[in-house]
Amino acid sequence: GTWEAEAPAEDAGAGTAPEHVEFMGGRIFLADNQSLPEKTEVVKTLVNSPVIGRDAESVKVTIGNMDEYPIYYYKAMDLEVLVDGAWYLVPPEEAPTEEEENLLVRLEPGMAQDEEIFLENYRLDYDAQMYRAVTYLDGLILCSQFCFENPEEDLEEALEQTWE
């Protein structure tokens, strides 16, 4: 009867997510890794702002090495979008060359380095719930999440704050 409540969408996970969904007039495919950390004890990634303006040209990702040894990461990053509780890969309009894709950057201990994802190279849905930049390190994958500002919501918040 009425006892079979439907499982909440969060629990659906990649097991039930479709292999691909329609997105911005194209088809995008389920990301290989649904759950990724933002940091480990020795390395972390941080996006320049969790909420990015719709007119931003790029998303900056800072990669920090807190280890006592150099780390290596790939300069090319992936952009993924959250659709119905699952992460999908947003393909760039212009794919990186093999050379760009395989370019390893050495990051010395205690150093941080900024890398950018240029947004003009992607077809984006600014109303999507969440995006993440995926950074591939030598033997490790990290992500940093962000979304685009919602002009209407932000306006409401700004108006509310002026009265407090």
Side-chain angles (χ1 to χ4, degrees):
T2 52
W3 292 102
E4 290 113 37
E6 283 191 28
E10 294 91 61
D11 295 352
T16 55
E19 267 305 295
H20 56 79
V21 292
E22 292 298 313
F23 181 77
M24 300 307 288
R27 184 178 280 186
I28 57 173
F29 290 85
L30 203 58
D32 291 340
N33 297 284
Q34 287 298 309
S35 161
L36 289 173
E38 300 208 351
K39 60 180 190 295
T40 67
E41 285 174 15
V42 293
V43 59
K44 67 177 177 184
T45 56
L46 191 66
V47 70
N48 58 329
S49 169
V51 180
I52 290 180
R54 294 181 178 221
D55 55 354
E57 288 176 17
S58 67
V59 176
K60 269 201 191 70
V61 177
T62 304
I63 298 151
N65 180 7
M66 298 166 291
D67 203 349
E68 44 199 271
Y69 306 101
I71 59 169
Y72 295 86
Y73 66 86
Y74 289 93
K75 198 170 172 68
M77 291 181 282
D78 279 337
L79 185 62
E80 295 177 355
V81 63
L82 191 61
V83 179
D84 296 334
W87 290 102
Y88 290 85
L89 182 64
V90 181
E93 299 275 294
E94 202 174 298
T97 64
E98 201 170 314
E99 193 178 325
E100 287 170 331
E101 206 159 84
N102 295 320
L103 185 62
L104 263 181
V105 179
R106 176 186 167 116
L107 190 56
E108 297 298 332
M111 300 296 282
Q113 178 77 29
D114 286 344
E115 295 296 345
E116 283 184 284
I117 291 181
F118 291 96
L119 298 174
E120 64 187 17
N121 200 19
Y122 296 88
R123 269 192 269 174
L124 298 174
D125 175 1
Y126 291 112
D127 295 323
Q129 183 185 349
M130 188 66 68
Y131 285 91
R132 66 182 183 182
V134 180
T135 308
Y136 297 89
L137 295 102
D138 195 13
L140 177 68
I141 307 175
L142 295 176
C143 76
S144 343
Q145 298 188 357
F146 65 93
C147 62
F148 288 97
E149 65 187 9
N150 179 328
E152 286 168 28
E153 276 179 26
D154 294 346
L155 188 62
E156 280 172 30
E157 273 176 39
L159 289 171
E160 280 169 24
Q161 284 167 2
T162 52
W163 296 107
E164 282 170 21

